[in-house]
Amino acid sequence: MTLIIIFAAMLVLVFFGIPILLSIASVSLVGAMVIPGLVPALVPQKAFAMLDSFSLLALPYFILAGAIMTRGGLSGGLIEFSQALVGHIRGSLGHTAVLSCTAMANISGSSTAEAAAVGSVTIPAMKERGYKPGLAAAIVAAAATIGPIIPPSMTMIVYGSITGVSIGGLFMAGVIPGLMIAALLMAVIYALSYLPSNAALRATQPRSSLKQIYKETLRVWPALMAPVVIMGGILSGIFTATEAGVVACVYSLIVSKVWYRQLQWKDLPSVLVDAAVTTAMVAGVLGMAGVLGWLLNYLDFNDTVLGALKGVTDSSLLMLTLLVVIMLVLTMILDGLAVVVVMVPTIVYVGSAFHIDPLQLGIIMVMITQIGGLTPPVAILLFITTSIAKIPFAQGVHAVWPFLGVVVLVMISIMLFPEIVTWLPNKVIGGG
């Protein structure tokens, strides 16, 4: 009964517009006050314990690296490079958005950052070319989901720090699913160009010459080398995933100052402040979600869920489906990162009992948070892109379903064929 009251209270607070951080903190604090054997002083103690993790030190560094590269001219260069590659294909600007998000995913690791950075350039351009504003917003929102799937990924870092799963293994596991989503999104955009209502998608530009492609490649190659530096260092053992965040910061600063020359020393204070604010928001959610997760564990939530689900099925695939449905419902109405922190210990506990691969489960959890970012009523990614497009939220929702279907299809493929995520880690680092 106590568990039901906790979840009901949190949902009521969220429903009335209370920020997720305050909702979780309020429920946790009241729970610590009224549950026998607990005291309020445990709340800050458990919040600090959640954040006291070497692995989580990577978060502020990767956030700062992404902020430096975005301010340093990375997004504009990648967009022009992508346009040179796919400008001659139907739906060229849509393909450009997808490729730009895929390239930026190697640095930012955040879907919201990608939606804002890529959307601010490509959505106005698509509108000028006659794309329906809702379609333009939906394309960028869906493409931004690739950000946390292709490494580095903040969600993977959090998942790995909570579960003990190799972060390097998770990084490698996300490569193939991320590329699958990119390819299928481009296929959907190309298919939509044949609909009579999408005549604007059929407009193309002349095929870029090899000289033009070479010129654009020369311009962006330092940015394209970022994942080689980061993943190469992790896989070779030169530095850990946490230390890779520091390397990413130094590398992004050098590239932005020396190569692109758009970042000035006077810009650094504002970049640092922006990164600090983002880090504080993420850390606040992580800390309070950690308190709630500890509270649920104190109330034997893991065993309660496992017992209930075991009474439903003995099939690992059906169990995985049930876990996915539960997480999808939660991420549709709550912040995805908070859901990961609160629910992943339970999800992994149940998954272990049914012998579900932790890498497979980790990538599925990351993808679920992104599906929640595209699905009403919250749909934070659509909210960002429709705001950039200056259109009602409903227009983006109306256009997003084919692209949402792509992400769901890839997730189902991973559920049925775990080798999609386990093959590369096993091949490169022996299973992470």
Side-chain angles (χ1 to χ4, degrees), residues 312-330:
V312 176
T313 179
D314 291 327
S315 166
S316 60
L317 180 58
L318 185 54
M319 178 57 63
L320 182 57
T321 303
L322 290 173
L323 294 177
V324 166
V325 170
I326 292 170
M327 288 288 288
L328 279 175
V329 172
L330 291 174

Side-chain angles (χ1 to χ4, degrees), residues 182-199:
L184 290 174
L185 286 176
M186 293 176 70
V188 169
I189 294 169
Y190 186 81
L192 289 176
S193 71
Y194 284 91
L195 295 178
S197 57
N198 290 326

Side-chain angles (χ1 to χ4, degrees), residues 378-395:
V378 177
I380 182 62
L381 296 177
L382 269 182
F383 179 80
I384 292 171
T385 56
T386 52
S387 298
I388 294 172
K390 299 178 181 178
I391 58 172
F393 179 71
Q395 287 189 29

Side-chain angles (χ1 to χ4, degrees), residues 337-351:
L337 191 59
V339 172
V340 167
V341 177
V342 173
M343 294 299 299
V344 157
T346 302
I347 298 296
V348 172
Y349 183 76
V350 175

Side-chain angles (χ1 to χ4, degrees), residues 105 157 167 175 281 301 332 383 428:
I157 293 170
I167 295 176
V175 173
M281 293 170 59
F301 180 64
M332 285 170 59
F383 179 80
V428 177

Side-chain angles (χ1 to χ4, degrees), residues 22 48 59 64 86 101 161 189 194 199 231 295 311 344 359 429:
L22 295 180
F48 178 81
L59 283 179
L64 177 58
V86 297
C101 285
S161 67
I189 294 169
Y194 284 91
M231 293 305 302
L295 186 62
V344 157
L359 284 178
I429 55 178

Side-chain angles (χ1 to χ4, degrees), residues 222-240:
L224 298 176
M225 284 295 293
V228 178
V229 173
I230 295 170
M231 293 305 302
I234 294 174
L235 297 177
S236 63
I238 297 175
F239 44 75
T240 66

